[in-house]
Amino acid sequence: RPGTFANATGQAACEPRPPGSRQAKYNATFCTPCDAGAFCPSGASAGLPCPAGSWSRSYDLGDSSQCTVCPAGTFCSSGSVAPTPCAAGSFAASERTLSCSLCAAGKFQPAEGQTACLTCERGHYCNRGATTPTPCPGGTVGEATGLSRKDLCNPVAPGFWAPTGSGEPTPCPTSGF
């Protein structure tokens, strides 16, 4: 029956399949290694996926505790054969993450596989999930860090000017401008 095997003729009973292998056929004389991303408990006819938040490339796991914990900065869905790095604009702060979180508004992350996001710099704003800061338009200034929207870039007062991405206004020259 599935989950057992007989490796010699004349056996009185079939042997339970050893942990780390599987057997799904009747009248089997050997067992097949468990699949990567799965574990095969003793007597099982098919592998069970490594739980979400863990992974495995091995073919001989007999218990879910043998699956490798997914590290911070990555995520692992059920049955993963490798951790997947979080995309730019997202992060995973801890181990065993099932999915990455987008950077909050006012923060950004240009690299993949990170555990935190960076604070948006002066003269810029960052929407949720930003991979790079967006410069405040010319004629406006972003005097604080962590701006989350374009409308938080303030217009400059008369007698001042500001190029794109300015963190503070510059006085207009007195010589003919």
Side-chain angles (χ1 to χ4, degrees):
R1 71 185 161 105
T4 64
F5 74 105
N7 60 358
T9 56
Q11 278 186 243
C14 292
E15 305 273 335
R17 183 205 48 74
S21 63
R22 60 186 168 85
Q23 181 45 262
K25 299 178 181 178
Y26 283 90
N27 300 322
T29 58
F30 64 92
C31 293
T32 304
C34 200
D35 294 326
F39 64 96
C40 296
S42 180
S45 60
L48 301 171
C50 282
S54 65
W55 64 280
S56 177
R57 283 192 190 106
S58 297
Y59 293 92
D60 61 353
L61 302 186
D63 187 81
S64 65
S65 66
Q66 295 173 304
C67 297
T68 304
V69 170
C70 194
T74 67
F75 71 96
C76 299
S77 57
S78 178
S80 291
V81 296
T84 302
C86 293
S90 68
F91 70 101
S94 61
E95 299 177 331
R96 296 188 188 273
T97 302
L98 311 182
S99 63
C100 299
S101 300
L102 290 177
C103 292
K107 297 191 176 276
F108 74 104
Q109 182 48 257
E112 66 176 32
Q114 300 302 305
T115 59
C117 295
L118 307 169
T119 300
C120 203
E121 50 208 48
R122 283 182 58 172
H124 297 77
Y125 63 95
C126 297
N127 294 321
R128 185 171 186 253
T131 58
T132 58
T134 303
C136 288
T140 67
V141 292
E143 297 172 302
T145 60
L147 297 181
S148 58
R149 301 183 318 268
K150 180 180 176 180
D151 64 336
L152 296 175
C153 299
N154 298 315
V156 296
F160 291 87
W161 68 285
T164 300
S166 292
E168 61 184 62
T170 303
C172 292
T174 57
S175 61
F177 284 101

